[in-house]
Amino acid sequence: MGDGRRYVGVAERRARLGLRQRLAGSVRVAGPEEVADALVALHGSDPATVHLAVGARLADPGRTVADTERALYTDRTLVRMHGMRHTVFVFPTELTAVVHASTGITVAAKERAALLKAMAAAGAPDAAWLKEVEESALAALARRGQATASELAEDEPRLRQRFVYAAGKSYEGTHSVSTRLLKVLGVEGRVVRGRPLGSWTSSQFRWALAPAHPELDVAEAQASLLGRWLAACGPATEADLKWWTGWRVTEVRRALAAIGARAVTLDEGTGFVTADDEAPVAGPSEPWAALLPALDPTAMGWQQRDWYLAPELRPALFDYSGNVGPTVWWNGRVIGGWAQRADGEIVWRLLDTGGVGREAEEAIRVEAVRLREWVGSTRVTPRFRTPLERELA
């Protein structure tokens, strides 16, 4: 290019995606820890997404549920906690301190201030009272190991106290102290999601104390997190980085400078890669297909998605809030969507058939059978449903 930067085209970006997101058959991995390490973060707002995202990337998905639950709840090598954009993710446990310092501290301060303001407006007790209740609740959680909000309220009855939130607003509601307080403690990195009350698809869960971690310098933590994500997902634009992290643009630029990121040219404009990632990347050794779940970190990984998802496909595959539904992939691009029917059958529809032939359709069938076999009799319904998923299901 005229500016001396290397041009990274769509074909190479799709090749990188297939390799680094562990989607091509030859680069699938053995366990959930390797999946989380490769992707940095798995969306955890919908508990089923974590397991489905892991299963799509395992060489042998038969132990997806058992191994993911072991990692989350027994070995604690993975942790489900608040992270970027005030969203729940699953991270490798060693990233707990990095995530908290880079993204959690600022959001947590706003959340606590909002809670205290809402309580004051409702005539609820003050900050000193809330501090006393939370310390009591945390002590009870330490004794129990894991507990639901109701169980904690047995030990600390003040958690049951209720107040009106957003009085007079269209979203007015009555909340217990436990509902809002545990959310704040989660954002503050003091508690994390524990084992679900039901199966691996359940949205009801217990709480547990967060793993102990050191307090890191914010700028250093942001550089560390951005460097890890860029290694997995680069090249990416500044807009992609700002969106994924939820940081201010000045923080993104500071972190890019700190890791010595290199600028490259993309169809969207300027993109960035890590300092050691400027060389061209060849594609996987074989064509590949994948059935990825709603909110999968690959489908949601970039703000600017035209290089892997045609704009005309979005109305069918996204809900009104911008959450992606289940997607069908072929060689680094989204070509359709899938769903599970009441009898467990996995069904799909191709929306973009350009360059898609028998080889692709057979590969998709293989992935559908593979998914059906390990999911078994479990019925999976995405938490955020999309038009195509509803129609297919």
Side-chain angles (χ1 to χ4, degrees):
M1 304 297 291
D3 56 11
R5 298 172 180 169
R6 189 170 82 81
Y7 169 67
V8 182
V10 167
E12 182 179 341
R13 297 188 76 182
R14 292 176 178 174
R16 286 169 174 253
L17 181 151
L19 293 171
R20 297 181 184 181
Q21 305 285 301
R22 301 297 185 183
L23 292 171
S26 59
V27 295
R28 287 174 176 162
V29 295
E33 292 91 345
E34 293 172 87
V35 174
D37 184 65
L39 298 172
V40 184
L42 304 173
H43 273 268
S45 301
D46 185 337
T49 292
V50 177
H51 293 78
L52 293 168
V54 168
R57 295 165 171 88
L58 295 185
D60 178 6
R63 287 189 51 82
T64 295
V65 174
D67 283 352
T68 304
E69 290 190 334
R70 168 196 53 77
L72 282 166
Y73 311 124
T74 303
D75 296 348
R76 295 293 186 91
T77 47
L78 300 179
V79 61
R80 187 167 171 241
M81 60 180 283
H82 275 88
M84 300 75 64
R85 307 187 310 281
H86 200 174
T87 300
V88 176
F89 290 91
V90 167
F91 300 97
T93 300
E94 65 268 19
L95 272 185
T96 301
V98 170
V99 173
H100 174 65
S102 65
T103 68
I105 293 174
T106 300
V107 175
K110 293 178 181 178
E111 279 295 309
R112 182 169 287 274
L115 172 57
L116 291 172
K117 182 178 179 180
M119 290 178 65
D126 61 12
W129 179 90
L130 185 66
K131 187 68 174 177
E132 185 178 313
V133 172
E134 74 183 63
E135 293 302 332
S136 174
L138 289 170
L141 188 55
R143 291 192 299 269
R144 286 178 175 267
Q146 291 195 23
T148 64
S150 295
E151 288 169 340
L152 289 176
E154 294 174 8
D155 298 337
E156 175 45 83
R158 288 175 293 182
L159 288 170
R160 298 193 184 101
Q161 185 159 329
R162 303 176 71 80
F163 64 95
V164 176
Y165 172 75
K169 305 288 187 181
S170 60
Y171 49 91
E172 175 184 323
T174 301
H175 297 273
S176 65
V177 170
S178 64
T179 300
R180 297 292 304 279
L181 178 59
L182 287 168
K183 180 181 179 182
V184 169
L185 293 174
V187 178
E188 290 178 341
R190 302 176 72 185
V191 299
V192 296
R193 265 70 167 172
R195 189 178 292 276
L197 296 181
S199 74
W200 55 274
T201 65
S202 174
S203 293
Q204 295 182 304
F205 54 88
R206 299 171 177 87
W207 293 96
L209 294 179
H213 60 78
E215 294 298 327
L216 304 180
D217 175 78
V218 171
E220 291 178 4
Q222 289 179 335
S224 176
L225 184 64
L226 185 139
R228 285 188 63 140
W229 186 83
L230 206 56
C233 300
T237 65
E238 191 176 88
D240 291 327
L241 295 165
K242 182 178 182 295
W243 175 81
W244 188 84
T245 59
W247 304 338
R248 299 188 301 271
V249 68
T250 53
E251 294 174 302
V252 169
R253 290 172 179 171
R254 181 180 66 190
L256 285 170
I259 66 171
R262 301 288 191 264
V264 296
T265 298
L266 308 175
D267 289 338
E268 299 92 334
T270 300
F272 297 91
V273 295
T274 58
D276 58 354
D277 195 25
E278 289 186 279
V281 174
S285 58
E286 76 290 346
W288 60 271
L291 271 61
L292 299 185
L295 293 178
D296 187 88
T298 299
M300 293 290 290
W302 297 262
Q303 183 186 48
Q304 297 173 300
R305 301 169 178 147
D306 289 1
W307 59 276
Y308 66 88
L309 198 159
E312 58 268 23
L313 273 58
R314 295 180 188 179
L317 296 174
F318 285 77
D319 73 3
Y320 65 89
S321 296
N323 300 303
V324 71
T327 49
V328 175
W329 293 67
W330 176 243
N331 288 338
R333 67 187 175 102
V334 176
I335 62 171
W338 65 272
Q340 184 190 39
R341 289 184 173 159
D343 63 359
E345 181 186 4
I346 304 297
V347 293
W348 72 91
R349 180 180 300 165
L350 302 186
L351 302 175
D352 181 356
T353 58
V356 177
R358 290 183 179 178
E359 181 182 32
E361 293 191 18
E362 179 56 31
I364 294 165
R365 288 192 188 94
V366 169
E367 290 304 307
V369 170
R370 183 174 181 269
L371 175 59
R372 172 67 188 272
E373 287 178 346
W374 79 257
V375 169
S377 61
T378 302
R379 179 74 174 89
V380 181
T381 302
R383 181 177 177 185
F384 305 105
R385 305 195 70 183
T386 51
L388 181 61
E389 187 275 329
R390 286 182 179 274
E391 183 181 345
L392 291 175

